[in-house]
Amino acid sequence: MKKLLMLLALGILALGANAQNKLKCEDESKQGDAFANAGDTARVLIRCHESMPLSFYSRADGGSIDPFEVGSEGSYTLYDFHFPTDAADDELKLLSRRVLVVSAKGHDNLEIPLNLSSKQYVKLRVYDPDDNKLNNPYVRYRNEAYQEYKNLNYAKARQLFVQASKMSDADQQESAVNISMVDSVIYYREKADDAFNNAKFLDAYNYYAKVLSWNGDDSYASTRKQESNNHFRSNCDIAFQKAEYFFNEKKYEDAKKQYQIMMDERCYENIPIYASVEARIQLIDDILRSRKDHARVLTYEWAPNTPIGLHYGTYKDHKVGGFFEMDLNTKTIEMLRTTDKGQFPERPELNMAFGWTVKIVKPVWIFFGPGVTGKVYYGQYEEGKFPGKEKDQAKEETMIVKEDGVLDTKKINVGVALSPAIGLLVKYSYFAVRATYSYRYSFNKDLQEFINPHRISLGVGLAF
């Protein structure tokens, strides 16, 4: 009898030694969860304590499978799977009967049926209900804290994390991480709410994003982040439309205020098309400074036989400006008026120049730049004889006409010269005086004297 009882006891011990613990699965999905991803795919997120690593098998997905990504949340490991939900007809039945087999050392396999649809998001927790750790005070408080954290009760979660850290069996390193985690979430949520309430929507957006980096399930932070982004973009768009309207209407002070709103809101950080706002403000500052300094100058240019001579330029206090000038002599006006009578005046002339303006010392500026001169003559000359060398002949031949009294346009000739210009401008308040010297270098050296290599002009006008 004793031998029988002993054998029975040994058998029970042997069975106990070979017994495997059971795993359980809890569905933690929430109503409204969805997987925002392109294609026919579903997401399954499995959470399990880090002390119990898991492996996975799915016949429908080809056998042993690895998660798309493995992360962590406190002392839990997160296994993130992305499963296809669409297939050829002969595979659809297999996918509809998908069973995920979860394995852990010292435990029986856990089979989880998964009938997934496109963009479905399933959250599961796998655990050992008989794990003695769950009965320890530290683990109990910590798990309660995790639950409160998940339910967005951060103040209560922190209280429980602190209480857990005071237990004799506490994991102090893990406790420090958990307390730091919940402190960060509380801090950034408060900063985000404060920024949102004060209409600092870009700051609010960034702070809510930090909250979500700690707790991706924070639906409040997710909603507020989207609202912040909407307000931010709306404010930037409205300010830009107003600024552009004022700028086009030349109301530069009002335009600058709106552009400055965009700078203060940092619209350029999240909306690339507004990256040029700072340059537009600089342009407005230049315009306003030019107005204050009367940088724009318009003068009438005088030279012998020059009824039309105009110059326009910008003479800035702090930057290089530019100028353009053009003048016509009296013969050019006469040419435009008399060619239809078969006559052609002597030596019509056009001068143009452009270039740069630089302040020497207020109120004196220097200007310089390239130019061109065109001077017209009429007639045909013997070889080696050109206007300027044979003046009598040139004068005589400027009036040659055909026998029928019609001007022979084939005999019109143009001498062209490069005429770089340099000069000084004195500007005081609304008045400006300008002196210009041009050296004219003829393309045809035989016409150098005809064109006249030296030219001086004086200008008087307004600064505004």
Side-chain angles (χ1 to χ4, degrees):
M1 185 64 178
K2 289 181 178 181
K3 289 183 180 180
L4 180 60
L5 291 174
M6 186 174 292
L7 290 173
L8 182 60
L10 290 173
I12 293 173
L13 288 173
L15 289 173
N18 292 322
Q20 297 276 77
N21 292 338
K22 301 290 185 180
L23 292 175
K24 289 197 68 175
C25 177
E26 177 182 344
D27 191 345
E28 297 182 327
S29 304
K30 293 182 179 179
Q31 185 175 3
D33 284 343
F35 182 32
N37 188 45
D40 297 314
T41 312
R43 181 182 181 186
V44 177
L45 185 69
I46 297 177
R47 186 167 69 99
C48 184
H49 194 273
E50 62 185 12
S51 63
M52 189 169 64
L54 304 178
S55 59
F56 306 91
Y57 175 92
S58 170
R59 177 172 168 266
D61 298 289
S64 296
I65 57 173
D66 294 321
F68 176 79
E69 186 177 17
V70 178
S72 61
E73 181 185 85
S75 61
Y76 282 85
T77 300
L78 303 179
Y79 302 92
D80 193 351
F81 291 92
H82 296 178
F83 288 116
T85 57
D86 189 23
D89 292 341
D90 57 344
E91 296 176 341
L92 283 175
K93 293 182 179 179
L94 190 61
L95 292 180
S96 66
R97 298 195 301 271
R98 178 187 278 121
V99 175
L100 183 63
V101 180
V102 181
S103 302
K105 186 177 180 181
H107 295 77
D108 290 334
N109 290 341
L110 173 66
E111 294 186 356
I112 304 175
L114 295 174
N115 189 6
L116 302 173
S117 58
S118 180
K119 303 190 185 305
Q120 187 177 356
Y121 186 9
V122 179
K123 300 176 184 177
L124 305 172
R125 182 171 75 95
V126 173
Y127 63 96
D128 182 352
D130 297 325
D131 192 343
N132 291 329
K133 291 181 180 180
L134 298 178
N135 297 319
N136 292 341
Y138 167 71
V139 173
R140 187 170 66 253
Y141 282 123
R142 183 204 62 194
N143 289 353
E144 290 179 14
Y146 281 145
Q147 191 59 42
E148 297 296 340
Y149 181 86
K150 180 183 175 183
N151 293 332
L152 314 185
N153 299 322
Y154 296 122
K156 180 64 174 178
R158 189 185 192 284
Q159 179 183 348
L160 289 169
F161 279 134
V162 171
Q163 192 169 354
S165 69
K166 297 177 180 179
M167 299 296 103
S168 58
D169 61 335
D171 183 332
Q172 294 300 334
Q173 183 176 0
E174 182 184 57
S175 293
V177 171
N178 289 334
I179 293 173
S180 175
M181 174 183 68
V182 73
D183 280 346
S184 296
V185 172
I186 292 172
Y187 172 79
Y188 286 120
R189 279 239 325 209
E190 290 177 351
K191 294 284 286 185
D193 288 340
D194 182 65
F196 187 91
N197 294 333
N198 286 283
K200 297 180 179 179
F201 296 114
L202 181 58
D203 289 336
Y205 176 89
N206 291 332
Y207 286 134
Y208 285 125
K210 288 183 180 293
V211 172
L212 292 169
S213 69
W214 288 101
N215 184 7
D217 293 327
D218 193 323
S219 55
Y220 170 83
S222 179
T223 300
R224 276 296 185 97
K225 177 187 174 186
Q226 185 59 47
E227 290 177 0
S228 299
N229 184 58
N230 293 341
H231 286 307
F232 169 73
R233 287 183 171 272
S234 176
N235 287 351
C236 290
D237 291 343
I238 291 172
F240 182 74
Q241 291 172 6
K242 289 182 177 179
E244 288 291 287
Y245 170 77
F246 288 134
F247 185 87
N248 293 330
E249 293 294 316
K250 302 188 185 306
K251 299 178 180 179
Y252 296 117
E253 291 86 354
D254 294 331
K256 183 178 178 181
K257 290 178 182 178
Q258 297 300 320
Y259 286 128
Q260 193 59 52
I261 289 174
M262 298 179 70
M263 290 296 294
D264 295 339
E265 288 284 340
R266 307 200 304 279
C267 298
Y268 54 88
E269 290 189 8
N270 278 26
I271 310 177
I273 62 172
Y274 296 144
S276 61
V277 169
E278 186 173 8
R280 184 58 68 91
I281 291 176
Q282 183 62 52
L283 175 59
I284 291 175
D285 287 340
D286 289 344
I287 293 173
L288 295 178
R289 187 182 298 114
S290 295
R291 285 182 172 181
K292 181 180 178 182
D293 297 337
H294 303 156
R296 293 174 292 175
V297 173
L298 178 65
T299 60
Y300 170 76
E301 299 292 306
W302 178 88
N305 300 316
T306 305
I308 298 179
L310 293 175
H311 151 271
Y312 175 79
T314 55
Y315 294 80
K316 303 178 181 180
D317 281 354
H318 305 285
K319 290 185 176 182
V320 174
F323 77 92
F324 174 79
E325 66 175 285
M326 181 184 72
D327 58 71
L328 309 171
N329 69 357
T330 54
K331 299 298 182 179
T332 306
I333 306 300
E334 186 178 342
M335 176 187 72
L336 296 175
R337 186 171 62 246
T338 62
T339 52
D340 60 339
K341 299 177 182 179
Q343 298 177 341
F344 196 86
E346 182 183 5
R347 303 178 184 184
E349 182 180 305
L350 167 67
N351 291 280
M352 290 191 297
F354 65 93
W356 301 269
T357 65
V358 181
K359 185 176 76 171
I360 300 175
V361 57
K362 201 169 184 179
V364 180
W365 278 257
I366 186 173
F367 57 89
F368 55 91
V372 64
T373 295
K375 198 167 185 178
V376 184
Y377 62 95
Y378 184 85
Q380 293 176 336
Y381 294 86
E382 297 178 9
E383 185 177 354
K385 295 181 180 182
F386 292 90
K389 290 187 176 182
E390 299 291 341
K391 294 185 178 178
D392 293 339
Q393 183 187 15
K395 185 174 182 180
E396 179 183 353
E397 295 194 1
T398 55
M399 302 300 291
I400 292 179
V401 295
K402 284 188 174 182
E403 292 181 358
D404 58 2
V406 178
L407 181 68
D408 186 357
T409 57
K410 294 182 180 180
K411 294 182 179 180
I412 295 177
N413 304 281
V414 181
V416 180
L418 291 177
S419 52
I422 188 169
L424 295 176
L425 177 133
V426 178
K427 176 168 65 77
Y428 179 76
S429 184
Y430 291 96
F431 304 98
V433 179
R434 187 172 181 269
T436 308
Y437 169 75
S438 298
Y439 179 79
R440 303 191 286 192
Y441 180 81
S442 175
F443 287 150
N444 185 341
K445 65 180 181 179
D446 292 317
L447 295 174
Q448 186 70 30
E449 292 301 322
F450 169 70
I451 291 177
N452 189 0
H454 307 286
R455 183 178 186 275
I456 296 176
S457 65
L458 299 176
V460 178
L462 300 176
F464 55 94

